[in-house]
Amino acid sequence: MSEASVLSPDDLQRLIDTLGARGYSVIGPTVDNGAIVYEPITGADALPTGRGDEQAGGHYRLTDRGDSEVFGFTVGPQGWKRHLHPPEQVLWTARRRGRGFTVEGTGTDATAHAFLGVRPCELSAIVAQDQVLTGGPFADTGYRARRDGTFLVAVNCGRPAATCFCASMGTGPAADGHYDIVLTEVADGDRHIYYAEAGSEAGRDVLATMNAAPAADADREAAHRVVETARANMGRHLETDGLPEVLRANLDHPRYEKVAERCLNCGNCTMVCPTCFCTTVEDVTDLTGSEAVRVRRWDSCFTTDFSYVHGGAVRLNGHARYRQWLTHKLATWHDQFGRSGCVGCGRCITWCPVGIDITEEAAAIQASERSR
Ligand code: SF4
Ligand code: SF4
């Protein structure tokens, strides 16, 4: 008998309720301001049923699919990182007390979250951030507390966007571990089911509590077809063999100057990227001088200030900043963390206002290396 189970569309509400009853605040995909975003939800009616998305370089539109698929979209602008590694975080507050002052930390948020609808590429991005933020000798305690309390319900991809290339990066379209439960939505003919597999004891327990029906071989085959169809329809490809070496050997490639003519240095690519982790720290005081707050905010290697060291900024022009970003993602991340810093989600392509495409830029450098 298969260990996998089958859930019906109505079971999504039971899944949300079961997670809620276990103390999780459920965060899932929902539509806001014309995009799919990840927000707290209490009902399956908040999920984007029948919505799809159309993505291209510098282009994103939600579509009405006119069907009952709940996960018929790919990814929106937000990664899950905003819930694990928030864009803004107060580190401490200092208050004047007579002739001295006191300092109060903010503690860590004890809310346990269940993420519903994590795409395989996004799971890989969470694992990448785990490595960066908790893998070294000085772990980010806030991140670790949020991450340890998180239950992950992944959803395999059936419909990659034109900007997706997870298959090249080995991160999708099927999840490979690191989840509590993974669902595959199968909607063909009269059948509409979620093929569900547990990846942890907690996941097995949730599915057992729901009395999920065991899956049949035909269900497994149908789920397999969904991800294989997605794999065959990837919008983009990135040749990863030897790529770090090619990029390291071409740091002065004229392509970087070419891309800099288009790059606005807006930093959108770093804000939407689910693996980007850089931050800056600001101290903010009130006008009376009685309170000071130290705030940590996401930062971007596309700002001049980001590379400021004594005497000035190190990366003074756009091409140096773009090169830093691309080579970190695709080459030096391997040196630091033993893997790529890109999971192939395609967000940086979709949300770049001028449609700069990381796969195209890397391929151009690879092509000139081959022609030498
Ligand atoms: S570099 Fe682009 S495609 Fe790669 S993970 Fe970041 S946003 Fe996604
Ligand atoms: S590559 Fe695109 S998204 Fe990134 S900074 Fe340049 S213009 Fe903005």
Side-chain angles (χ1 to χ4, degrees):
M1 193 179 80
S2 166
E3 278 187 41
S5 322
V6 165
L7 303 178
S8 71
D10 289 344
D11 285 335
L12 287 181
Q13 183 61 56
R14 289 178 58 226
L15 176 60
I16 293 169
D17 292 341
T18 304
L19 293 168
R22 287 168 185 237
Y24 291 109
S25 162
V26 180
I27 299 179
T30 192
V31 173
D32 190 25
N33 271 320
I36 303 283
V37 294
Y38 301 138
E39 292 293 342
I41 56 168
T42 52
D45 55 353
L47 296 168
T49 303
R51 306 306 296 270
D53 51 18
E54 184 185 281
Q55 303 198 35
H59 176 88
Y60 175 94
R61 290 286 180 279
L62 276 186
T63 57
D64 276 316
R65 299 168 41 82
D67 59 24
S68 58
E69 280 187 49
V70 175
F71 300 99
F73 59 93
T74 50
V75 291
Q78 298 178 344
W80 297 92
K81 81 172 177 184
R82 67 179 299 103
H83 296 289
L84 291 171
H85 177 48
E88 185 174 305
Q89 216 180 323
V90 173
L91 298 178
W92 50 255
T93 304
R95 290 197 178 82
R96 188 189 289 274
R97 297 274 182 261
R99 293 174 66 80
F101 63 90
T102 57
V103 177
E104 294 158 22
T106 49
T108 48
D109 179 4
T111 311
H113 290 108
F115 295 171
L116 170 61
V118 183
R119 294 301 190 185
C121 63
E122 300 184 298
L123 275 179
S124 180
I126 290 172
V127 173
Q129 289 219 320
D130 288 350
Q131 213 178 348
V132 173
L133 296 167
T134 64
F138 305 105
D140 181 322
T141 50
Y143 179 91
R144 176 169 279 164
R146 285 185 288 275
R147 179 70 174 95
D148 286 348
T150 301
F151 186 99
L152 297 172
V153 182
V155 177
N156 285 332
C157 279
R159 299 175 188 284
T163 44
C164 290
F165 56 103
C166 63
S168 303
M169 307 313 291
T171 61
D176 183 19
H178 306 292
Y179 53 78
D180 293 294
I181 294 173
V182 61
L183 307 176
T184 307
E185 183 167 38
V186 178
D188 52 9
D190 291 340
R191 173 170 48 183
H192 188 184
I193 59 161
Y194 296 92
Y195 181 80
E197 297 163 279
S200 69
E201 261 324 300
R204 256 182 287 282
D205 200 43
V206 166
L207 291 175
T209 305
M210 292 178 66
N211 287 321
D217 285 348
D219 300 323
R220 185 188 307 109
E221 283 156 20
H224 181 70
R225 274 197 301 277
V226 167
V227 291
E228 287 315 306
T229 304
R231 196 184 304 282
N233 287 300
M234 279 292 129
R236 278 173 168 66
H237 172 77
L238 181 67
E239 183 51 61
T240 54
D241 271 358
L243 179 58
E245 293 74 22
V246 169
L247 293 176
R248 279 192 217 100
N250 284 280
L251 293 176
D252 292 322
H253 199 282
R255 187 77 188 189
Y256 290 118
E257 288 193 21
K258 200 110 191 85
V259 75
E261 289 168 10
R262 298 166 60 210
C263 176
L264 308 172
N265 288 279
C266 65
N268 260 17
C269 46
T270 53
M271 296 296 112
V272 296
C273 178
T275 64
C276 276
F277 56 85
C278 291
T279 53
T280 187
V281 168
E282 285 172 18
D283 291 335
V284 184
T285 53
D286 67 2
L287 287 176
T288 64
S290 55
E291 187 177 291
V293 180
R294 176 159 289 184
V295 186
R296 190 173 80 176
R297 298 184 212 283
W298 287 355
D299 203 352
S300 170
C301 50
F302 280 91
T303 68
T304 316
D305 278 357
F306 186 77
S307 69
Y308 187 91
V309 290
H310 174 72
V314 174
R315 291 188 282 274
L316 284 172
N317 52 49
H319 85 252
R321 290 194 280 276
Y322 187 83
R323 175 180 59 197
Q324 158 65 24
W325 182 72
L326 182 137
T327 55
H328 188 211
K329 289 286 164 204
L330 301 178
T332 50
W333 204 295
H334 286 274
D335 305 330
Q336 282 180 288
F337 303 110
R339 56 166 287 169
S340 173
C342 173
V343 298
C345 70
R347 284 186 174 95
C348 56
I349 306 170
T350 299
W351 295 94
C352 172
V354 293
I356 290 171
D357 179 339
I358 187 170
T359 65
E360 204 178 298
E361 297 311 312
I365 295 173
Q366 285 170 311
S368 67
E369 178 75 8
R370 270 196 300 272
S371 68
R372 250 185 234 164

